[in-house]
Amino acid sequence: MRIIHTSDWHLGQTFFGYDRAEEHRIFLDWLGSLIKERNIDLLLVAGDIFDSPNPSAESQKIFYKFIKNITTANPALQIIITAGNHDSAARLEAPTPLFEELNVTVRGIVHRTADGCIDYERHIIPLKEGACCLAVPYLRQCDFPAAESHSEGVKQFYNTLYNMAVGMFKTIIAMGHLQATGSEISSDDRSERTTIGGLDVVNPDFSCEGITYTALGHLHKAQRVSKRENMRYAGAPLPMSFAERNNKQSVTMVITDGNEINIEKIPFDTPVKLLTLPTKPLPLDEVLKELGALPVGVPDSCSPFLEVQVLVNGPDPTRRQQIEQAIEGRAVRLARITAHSPQNEDNKENVISYDDFKKIEPIELAKIAYKRKNNSEMPEHLVKMMSNVIKEVEI
């Protein structure tokens, strides 16, 4: 059986105000061609199909058009889609009667039977050649029986499914949308962040040893989990933030023969690159020189997104205007400007206790934040204005 594993499409995402619909169309066209060329039997999409629980009409159109085209071109293809934390599980499952006619299975909601028990059988999807897929969406605390921890609850959910399937199927594939211990997350990507204290991080042993391959979604970097060859994140097909600009986008192809597997990462060359200039923050005059060396051209939908890093010593209301003038007529699209202050001993972050934090006056916090951002003291007129605002709030 020949499988393509992908995830985290985030259809409908805008990148600092720029629409990414064309990038997603290019990826899905490429994926459709790949499935046809490689004669794929099964497509697994492990969550975060959409970037928002309320996707735009355009992003839904892109998704449904892909499903229509791919099933028309590959009548024998089976597709299994699970919901991620960004998806509306109910919305994703709504077209189920139509999807079933196209051999497409969607699992977003953990249903319960009339007596209140979890309907585990619904998540065991038969495949060809005596195999099955444990199609598990993003699990919330209410989706599994009470357990000592989130990790333990998720493990019990998978163990129950595995024990039900192991006697009936010779090959078991699993899907999940979660963060597994030992995996690598981006340092500046809000969509990958765990809950406070990492309470939703799951131990890799949730996937039973008898499972042939575990297809994961949620983290945007393609990777193995704790060096386990048969447990992988496919990664996002497009970088979701500048923190992901060095990620290598791909999908994962898995060929199974019983419990023997062969795994191949198939790279996808993203149509729009992410560019950070300079590579390290520099004073504005030096930054402007680097920007002036960018290729001349008219920006279009495939021009790189540009992040500009500037070393600052204080507020400068003309900074953005100067940068915009420097890139005028250059084949880039300005996404954001990040201002960095020189670090010194007076400006280092110190860890304080919660009790000490509560003792700091709001105006002092404002002064600290201003100094860290601008490397200068807050002007007296801003101090006075902030003090007046605080007094009004406290009344």
Side-chain angles (χ1 to χ4, degrees):
M1 184 164 53
R2 303 169 71 84
I3 303 167
I4 288 290
H5 163 209
T6 178
S7 70
D8 297 273
W9 295 352
H10 288 273
L11 300 178
Q13 191 218 22
T14 56
F15 196 80
F16 295 93
Y18 293 102
D19 181 59
R20 309 192 80 177
E22 185 60 25
E23 293 176 77
H24 281 118
R25 290 190 189 96
I26 291 171
F27 164 68
L28 293 176
D29 286 346
W30 173 84
L31 179 60
S33 297
L34 179 69
I35 288 170
K36 187 72 174 177
E37 292 169 5
R38 298 294 183 102
N39 195 27
I40 298 301
D41 301 300
L42 174 65
L43 173 64
L44 303 177
V45 189
D48 282 356
I49 286 75
F50 296 105
D51 191 58
S52 163
N54 296 301
S56 66
E58 179 65 17
S59 57
Q60 292 181 75
K61 182 179 178 181
I62 291 172
F63 174 60
Y64 293 126
K65 185 177 180 180
F66 169 75
I67 295 295
K68 174 183 177 295
N69 290 345
I70 200 68
T71 53
T72 300
N74 305 272
L77 177 69
Q78 185 172 4
I79 302 174
I80 302 178
I81 300 169
T82 55
N85 56 303
H86 279 249
D87 297 310
S88 165
R91 183 189 294 272
L92 206 58
E93 282 198 2
T96 291
L98 294 175
F99 279 159
E100 288 175 345
E101 297 297 318
L102 301 173
N103 203 15
V104 178
T105 302
V106 179
R107 292 293 179 263
I109 302 170
V110 176
H111 288 265
R112 293 182 181 269
T113 59
D115 57 0
C117 296
I118 294 173
D119 185 1
Y120 288 105
E121 289 185 8
R122 187 171 177 272
H123 297 275
I124 303 175
I125 314 300
L127 307 173
K128 62 187 299 186
E129 299 179 6
C132 77
C133 176
L134 310 183
V136 182
Y138 177 73
L139 294 176
R140 294 172 173 83
Q141 203 71 31
C142 60
D143 291 330
F144 45 77
E148 292 182 0
S149 65
H150 181 86
S151 181
E152 188 61 29
V154 170
K155 180 179 179 179
Q156 290 178 18
F157 194 98
Y158 278 91
N159 281 352
T160 300
L161 289 176
Y162 177 79
N163 290 334
M164 293 173 65
V166 69
M168 298 186 293
F169 301 95
K170 64 179 184 180
T171 303
I172 300 176
I173 306 295
M175 297 176 71
H177 193 90
L178 48 82
Q179 182 187 337
T181 306
S183 52
E184 183 181 343
I185 66 172
S186 303
S187 60
D188 184 31
D189 195 322
R190 285 175 290 182
S191 63
E192 286 187 338
R193 287 181 182 171
T194 56
T195 56
I196 295 173
L199 297 179
D200 61 351
V201 178
V202 178
N203 192 300
D205 68 1
F206 76 88
S207 182
C208 304
E209 288 187 6
I211 292 177
T212 302
Y213 181 77
T214 302
L216 297 178
H218 186 48
L219 301 191
H220 297 164
K221 180 178 181 179
Q223 58 188 290
R224 298 175 298 169
V225 176
S226 298
K227 299 182 179 180
R228 303 182 186 204
E229 289 292 335
N230 67 337
M231 181 184 292
R232 297 191 179 220
Y233 288 96
L238 302 178
M240 297 289 108
S241 73
F242 280 100
E244 299 177 19
R245 65 183 179 274
N246 294 322
N247 287 1
K248 304 297 183 184
Q249 280 68 42
S250 62
V251 299
T252 304
M253 188 171 84
V254 181
I255 301 176
T256 67
D257 182 10
N259 287 323
E260 297 296 321
I261 61 171
N262 180 46
I263 299 173
E264 178 186 357
K265 282 177 62 175
I266 303 176
F268 170 63
D269 187 19
T270 54
V272 177
K273 307 306 178 185
L274 272 56
L275 181 63
T276 297
L277 287 177
T279 53
K280 293 183 179 180
L282 294 174
L284 182 59
D285 57 344
E286 296 182 47
V287 171
L288 296 177
K289 289 179 182 178
E290 285 207 26
L291 297 180
L294 287 168
V296 175
V298 179
D300 58 28
S301 61
C302 287
S303 296
F305 293 124
L306 175 64
E307 174 190 43
V308 179
Q309 299 190 108
V310 187
L311 199 60
V312 302
N313 289 310
D316 180 357
T318 69
R319 184 185 302 132
R320 185 176 185 89
Q321 181 182 0
Q322 292 184 68
I323 290 172
E324 289 177 343
Q325 288 176 346
I327 64 172
E328 190 172 348
R330 308 290 170 178
V332 293
R333 291 178 287 174
L334 181 61
R336 73 173 180 179
I337 300 169
T338 57
H340 300 261
S341 300
Q343 296 297 311
N344 54 51
E345 290 301 317
D346 295 329
N347 197 27
K348 284 185 177 179
E349 287 190 34
N350 294 312
V351 178
I352 62 173
S353 69
Y354 177 65
D355 289 335
D356 289 337
F357 177 77
K358 291 191 295 182
K359 296 174 184 177
I360 302 176
E361 294 295 329
I363 188 63
E364 294 305 318
L365 285 176
K367 289 179 179 179
I368 293 170
Y370 186 92
K371 185 172 183 180
R372 286 181 176 172
K373 182 175 181 180
N374 300 297
N375 197 36
S376 62
E377 301 295 335
M378 180 183 283
E380 190 58 36
H381 73 281
L382 289 183
V383 174
K384 185 176 181 180
M385 186 184 300
M386 178 68 74
S387 298
N388 291 336
V389 170
I390 292 170
K391 287 178 183 177
E392 289 182 14
V393 173
E394 290 177 342
I395 293 176

